[in-house]
Amino acid sequence: MFQKKKEHTVSEWTNDPPKELVPGCLDIWRIHIPSIPVGEIEFLLSAQEKSRTEKYKFDNDRSSYAVSRSALRLILGKYLKENPQKLNFSYNSYGKPALDSLLKRKSHFNVSHSGEFALIAIGPDAEMGIDIELMRELDYLGLAEHFFSFREQTEIKRLGSEFLKKGFYTVWTRKEAFIKAIGMGLSFPLKEFDVSINLREIPQIRIHKSQSVFDTGWEIHDIVTENQYCASLVIPDNKFTKIRAFNFNLKQFEYIKAI
Ligand code: COA
Ligand code: MG
């Protein structure tokens, strides 16, 4: 018997931007990168961010970074009533960015970008990890052998070929959202935890004994966005009672209008 799945799926996106963060509520912002003119937004970046922007070889990667980081500044600035250009970020030893100083306590966030989209998760009080991937044609079983746990490999091999792509990306984004939630990225051993693969059941995560210190209780939520994309969110158990999802629209930001 399947458990109800609905509460662990985010699929309704609104165009009404929120005014503030709400206790117990996590917000996800969806940004369509090609719709945002980079030239109108990249002035928000710090000197360090601008120099990183210049290092990208491909225009798409450059816009993806510049737009998502500038949008992050605008969104955080709006929630925290701070000048978006003056926000400072610090990085943990694995590269996870966070707000600096006192603001860190007010708001946590995580960003992911792939193809034409970026997702930003923001909420008070707890760390989170988000991942979006444009689903490409790949050697799914070969990659699974390399990156997935034994149990995940067994489950993915059971899938019919028509479900393989979605199954692979479901596991991939759920795993990546977890390693981003704990902030370790790929330094966390990917084979030492399992995520479930079945899209009809409430998603589960099982941390192996070797990593029991991280077994503090986690929830996975699937994020339904455009076809061809797969996305997941990982948050601590019972920290957020509500998840809201918004489309990012540059015109709705007062800071931009005032310039
Ligand atoms: N923990 C959490 N978030 C991190 C992070 C960390 N250690 N390091 C960086 N980030 C954030 C940053 O905001 C970054 O955005 P920015 O570059 O605009 O600042 C964002 O995560 C990048 O995430 P995403 O767009 O999903 O990139 P990615 O899929 O290429 O990589 C990591 C994300 C952090 C996991 C990276 O370590 C990596 O190289 N991944 C390769 C993909 C992979 O093998 N995944 C395994 C899945 S089974
Ligand atoms: Mg990713």
Side-chain angles (χ1 to χ4, degrees):
M1 187 67 174
F2 294 125
Q3 289 176 279
K4 266 201 303 175
K5 173 74 200 313
K6 201 166 165 277
E7 297 80 2
H8 284 252
T9 304
V10 178
S11 57
E12 280 167 34
W13 299 86
T14 123
N15 293 320
D16 275 339
K19 290 198 174 50
E20 52 198 12
L21 285 176
V22 176
C25 178
L26 179 134
D27 290 351
I28 299 174
W29 289 77
R30 172 170 64 177
I31 303 154
H32 181 235
I33 306 286
S35 311
I36 313 288
V38 188
E40 281 180 33
I41 195 172
E42 66 181 352
F43 74 93
L44 294 166
L45 300 176
S46 68
Q48 193 197 17
E49 289 163 347
K50 281 182 185 144
S51 86
R52 181 169 158 196
T53 302
E54 280 153 24
K55 290 189 184 122
Y56 284 98
K57 215 163 95 189
F58 299 108
D59 281 354
N60 288 351
D61 294 336
R62 180 181 173 280
S63 330
S64 189
Y65 171 72
V67 169
S68 59
R69 182 53 70 97
S70 306
L72 173 69
R73 285 183 170 275
L74 274 180
I75 298 165
L76 287 171
K78 179 176 168 139
Y79 281 141
L80 301 168
K81 301 187 175 41
E82 297 280 337
N83 179 336
Q85 288 181 274
K86 298 221 165 109
L87 294 171
N88 288 317
F89 298 110
S90 60
Y91 295 83
N92 76 4
S93 32
Y94 307 100
K96 181 171 185 172
L99 280 162
D100 216 1
S101 66
L102 286 174
L103 292 176
K104 196 172 184 165
R105 278 193 237 133
K106 291 197 191 163
S107 160
H108 295 267
F109 65 85
N110 196 232
V111 178
S112 180
H113 32 97
S114 182
E116 294 194 342
F117 286 90
L119 294 179
I120 299 180
I122 301 188
D125 301 329
E127 288 293 343
M128 61 206 66
I130 195 159
D131 189 48
I132 178 166
E133 300 291 339
L134 170 63
M135 295 191 282
R136 302 167 206 266
E137 297 304 322
L138 299 169
D139 169 14
Y140 305 121
L141 294 179
L143 284 164
E145 257 175 45
H146 198 71
F147 291 111
F148 293 0
S149 71
F150 182 73
R151 183 186 283 217
E152 290 161 349
Q153 290 179 41
T154 310
E155 301 236 326
I156 206 162
K157 282 178 196 155
R158 283 201 196 119
L159 294 179
S161 57
E162 70 274 37
F163 301 116
L164 194 53
K165 186 188 213 173
K166 183 68 182 163
F168 171 82
Y169 276 103
T170 298
V171 172
W172 180 281
T173 57
R174 287 175 177 182
K175 284 181 90 65
E176 195 167 308
F178 173 69
I179 59 177
K180 293 179 77 181
I182 59 171
M184 288 180 68
L186 289 175
S187 304
F188 192 86
L190 290 172
K191 291 184 186 240
E192 296 185 26
F193 69 106
D194 314 315
V195 297
S196 56
I197 193 167
N198 193 326
L199 282 169
R200 286 168 300 179
E201 292 174 42
I202 291 183
Q204 306 280 345
I205 188 158
R206 196 179 66 89
I207 319 279
H208 298 187
K209 280 213 179 89
S210 55
Q211 302 295 338
S212 57
V213 59
F214 296 100
D215 195 6
T216 47
W218 300 95
E219 282 172 18
I220 304 179
H221 295 259
D222 295 321
I223 303 166
V224 180
T225 177
E226 282 67 17
N227 286 339
Q228 301 309 318
Y229 288 82
C230 186
S232 303
L233 168 79
V234 168
I235 48 181
D237 254 351
N238 303 320
K239 270 281 180 188
F240 297 99
T241 48
K242 193 172 177 201
I243 299 178
R244 307 186 291 186
F246 305 99
N247 289 313
F248 178 85
N249 178 350
L250 195 54
K251 295 195 183 79
Q252 287 169 329
F253 283 81
E254 299 306 323
Y255 189 80
I256 292 284
K257 283 194 223 159
I259 285 164

